[in-house]
Amino acid sequence: MINSLMLSTAMLIGQTQVLPPTSTVAPPSYILVQNGNGNGNGNGNGEAKAEAPAAEEPAEDDRYFLMKALDGTHVGDIMKEHRLSISGWATASYTHSENDHYINNSRGNPGNGTVVWNDRANHVNLQQLWVRLDRALDTESKEVNFGFRADVLFGTDYRYTMARGLFNSQLQNAAGNQNFYGVDPVQFYANAWLPNLFNGTEVRVGRLYCPWGFESVETVSSPFMSKSFTFNFAPPFTHTGVLFISNLSDNLVLKYGLAGGNDVFIDDAMRLQTIGAVTYTTCDKKQTATFGWAIGNGRFIQDQPFNPTTYGTQSEPLGRNNFNSFDFVYTNALTDKLTVAAEFIYCYQTNAPIGVVGGTNAGFGTANWMGLPVYAQYKINDCLTAQARLEWFEDTDGQRTGERTSYFAQTYGLSWLVSRGVIFRPEVRFDHSSDNNYLYNGNQGIVTAGADLTIRY
């Protein structure tokens, strides 16, 4: 997520600025593709794609409506003096599908099977209404300085990003079904810039995006409207803990820290885990390679299985509270117009519910899953980019999707910068399962088509 591809995307979408080296989800010299930093799996799940947090308030041309409107006002002057900014975006989507797999067995809620996040068929959804308050670090300073960031998400996507132990009651209403809309404080941390530790180190403490991955929890940091299998079903989205981001050299960035598990806030499912990533960027900045990890005891917490049995916490039928992950991302800007990227992830968990069919546990054992998405992005002009994503995902034990099967998916789309801060992304997607699948109403596949519209402020 911190790669040339993201750089290209950032320029296309009008994302924030290019930063120096020190990021939370990317290699040296990354680009901030989201106004911020990271897999929440992106880049570390939606992390900044820049090597280091913004040193100064972004240049005026890199700001959106809200901060520009505050220019010259008393509030604006105070914010500028203290390196404060407020920003965000709103993303709405519509996805057409002939699938009739009904969520919560409600015929009023047709679902798109394994196409999640934009999971409601033939509905207009406000997926994200995002607010970010940020005090940027001064990474040009030779003195230690402090900052913070808080990201709050309102919309339908909250069902996927929520951590155990933080506002989970929203996932079930009085009728026993999930609330379709809700709120998640998806990221909040205090940070510090330590200029004399290596070539500069940022320290973050709080709820953080996963420090690796290609796609992101943030719509403005992801290439497509829909999420890949690999992004949604494989890795963590957020960790609660401490993370160091050190610039070891002009080409090498190391992220390392400790967390209380995967997508867990304060909860009985917390277990100590090491998290981190190392990213190498070539001198010409055209290629990046990142290896990331989240490793603990890897044992499923059996008192947390169906929490609850909705598409919430975190979409898999049996949750994702404690597993080990290993991830590799490679990106290459082949030409000024064409960029390609690939990600491979492998995860496993012992003592896990396996043999799941339709969300029913058939026993416990070691569950394995892995994914391989490949991306291509071609810049047609300054406002229009064509994109493709081809993916294989193996749910060996049915612990992620509810079916023991392999999945193959193709997604094709455009990213159109309509005007400054307004992005329109149509796409068509083909999902196929090796076996008949209850998520596809007993068929082997599904075709969806739709688009999302994002307005940044």
Side-chain angles (χ1 to χ4, degrees), residues 278-419:
V278 57
T279 299
Y280 177 79
T281 301
T282 58
C283 293
D284 60 7
K285 308 302 182 187
K286 290 185 177 180
Q287 299 180 65
T288 65
T290 299
F291 175 72
W293 64 87
I295 305 173
N297 66 14
R299 184 177 175 83
F300 189 80
I301 315 300
Q302 286 196 24
D303 60 352
Q304 302 287 320
F306 301 86
N307 182 7
T309 52
T310 69
Y311 269 43
T313 318
Q314 274 63 308
S315 83
E316 296 88 351
L318 296 168
R320 59 164 93 202
N321 63 18
N322 188 31
F323 58 87
N324 290 337
S325 299
F326 306 90
D327 184 84
F328 179 76
V329 176
Y330 171 75
T331 66
N332 192 338
L334 297 175
T335 70
D336 290 342
K337 292 182 176 293
L338 178 63
T339 301
V340 296
E343 178 175 12
F344 176 76
I345 188 169
Y346 168 71
C347 308
Y348 74 91
Q349 185 168 228
T350 64
N351 196 43
I354 61 174
V356 180
V357 178
T360 301
N361 176 23
F364 291 87
T366 298
N368 300 268
W369 59 95
M370 63 193 78
L372 176 62
V374 177
Y375 305 81
Q377 186 177 65
Y378 184 80
K379 183 178 178 182
I380 298 171
N381 56 45
D382 288 343
C383 295
L384 191 63
T385 294
Q387 306 179 120
R389 178 179 62 205
L390 305 178
E391 181 182 18
W392 164 75
F393 184 79
E394 179 70 31
D395 193 4
T396 307
D397 301 291
Q399 213 270 343
R400 297 290 93 185
T401 66
E403 288 280 10
R404 287 178 161 178
T405 189
S406 297
Y407 295 92
F408 303 89
Q410 306 173 58
T411 309
Y412 305 96
L414 296 170
S415 182
W416 175 27
L417 181 61
V418 180
S419 63

